[in-house]
Amino acid sequence: MTKLNQILAVEKGVKSDVQRKVADAHNLINKAPLLSGISRTYQPIDDEGEQLPPESTRVQVQAEQVLTDVTVALTRLFDVTATKDVANRSAKADVKIDGVVLVPDVPVTYLLFLEKQLVDLHNFISRLPTLDPSESWARDENTDSWRTEPVKTTRTKKVPRNHVLVAATEKHPAQVQVYNEDVIVGYWTKVGFSGAVPQRRVNELLARVVKLQEAVKYAREEANGTEIVDQRVGEVLFGYLLG
């Protein structure tokens, strides 16, 4: 059976580890180039046209995966803190959403902790990179990212042409002006890729966080105030938050 002093001994290390991982996650989602990808292929207008190799850049960071990694780290922190607070026999109350109890008999100290964590989580989710609304996005299962519709553009090449200013006569040659004309020689097909998330997903997550924040605040107000039992509440909370 785990003792309270054992939980207190590991709590500081868990907090430090989670803070580092969340900071790393913030840095990742702020690096726009890692979230973006592109695929371009070229086709000359005829068989004699210049052949160009395809170009591609893979999406290196998936915002949804970063969010998942953060929740895994926070789940451990939530569980350790819950175990300590339950052992303290503080005042407690149920955290309920729409009349359904998510976590029963939560100590008031843990409710205070949850309030702070949910503020931080709200801030983190609100900063998740979102897909460019000016583009039409569809899920691409092959790359596990979002992709735009293909956009076809032309590639041109300057070709010299002759323009006769004065026609030739028996006594004088023609006066000719040379100019360059842009001639289509091929087509680029561009597809954009992104590891960002749809705005509706962010809105949904923020709505869930706000609803849980309200439930936690209500429970704290309602709360009236060793060998311990390990608590497992993080999975339940994030199971609700992430839908």
Side-chain angles (χ1 to χ4, degrees):
M1 182 73 71
T2 305
K3 295 184 180 295
L4 179 58
N5 60 0
Q6 293 174 309
I7 290 296
L8 293 174
V10 302
E11 184 185 31
K12 185 176 180 180
V14 171
K15 284 184 177 179
S16 298
D17 182 61
V18 170
Q19 289 173 353
R20 177 180 57 79
K21 289 179 178 177
V22 172
D24 290 344
H26 273 291
N27 290 333
L28 275 179
I29 64 172
N30 284 327
K31 294 179 179 178
L34 297 181
L35 290 147
S36 301
I38 191 175
S39 174
R40 295 206 311 167
T41 57
Y42 177 74
Q43 180 182 354
I45 198 168
D46 55 47
D47 293 339
E48 286 73 34
E50 182 181 2
Q51 298 291 332
L52 298 178
E55 300 174 3
S56 65
T57 302
R58 294 176 61 86
V59 173
Q60 300 178 56
V61 174
Q62 300 288 342
E64 193 73 40
Q65 182 59 50
V66 175
L67 175 62
T68 298
D69 294 341
V70 168
T71 60
V72 169
L74 286 174
T75 295
R76 171 64 174 154
L77 178 59
F78 282 20
D79 290 347
V80 168
T81 305
T83 301
K84 180 197 70 174
D85 290 343
V86 169
N88 286 333
R89 301 298 181 188
S90 301
K92 50 187 177 290
D94 296 342
V95 176
K96 295 183 287 187
I97 299 290
D98 298 330
V100 178
V101 176
L102 284 182
V103 187
D105 297 332
V106 184
V108 69
T109 50
Y110 187 65
L111 292 171
L112 291 169
F113 163 80
L114 272 183
E115 285 188 56
K116 180 182 182 305
Q117 291 297 317
L118 290 173
V119 169
D120 294 341
L121 188 61
H122 187 283
N123 180 57
F124 178 79
I125 292 175
S126 67
R127 296 180 180 222
L128 285 173
T130 56
L131 298 174
D132 183 352
S134 67
E135 297 280 4
S136 177
W137 297 93
R139 195 66 186 164
D140 189 325
E141 300 301 331
N142 292 328
T143 60
D144 193 26
S145 61
W146 296 89
R147 64 179 291 166
T148 61
E149 294 294 328
V151 176
K152 196 170 186 178
T153 55
T154 59
R155 177 175 180 261
T156 60
K157 185 176 181 180
K158 292 189 179 298
V159 177
R161 303 291 192 200
N162 295 326
H163 175 62
V164 179
L165 297 176
V166 178
T169 65
E170 292 181 358
K171 297 182 179 181
H172 301 285
Q175 295 182 25
V176 178
Q177 181 183 44
V178 179
Y179 67 96
N180 290 324
E181 179 182 354
D182 289 331
V183 177
I184 296 175
V185 295
Y187 300 95
W188 282 110
T189 301
K190 175 184 174 182
V191 178
F193 294 90
S194 178
V197 293
Q199 183 63 51
R200 67 177 181 276
R201 173 66 169 162
V202 173
N203 295 342
E204 174 189 308
L205 292 171
L206 289 176
R208 286 176 176 268
V209 171
V210 169
K211 199 167 187 178
L212 186 55
Q213 285 177 309
E214 294 173 351
V216 170
K217 290 178 181 178
Y218 183 84
R220 175 170 56 81
E221 293 296 328
E222 184 182 348
N224 185 20
T226 257
E227 287 185 349
I228 61 177
V229 177
D230 290 334
Q231 303 296 309
R232 294 289 183 266
V233 301
E235 184 176 353
V236 174
L237 292 173
F238 284 108
Y240 168 78
L241 288 174
L242 301 183

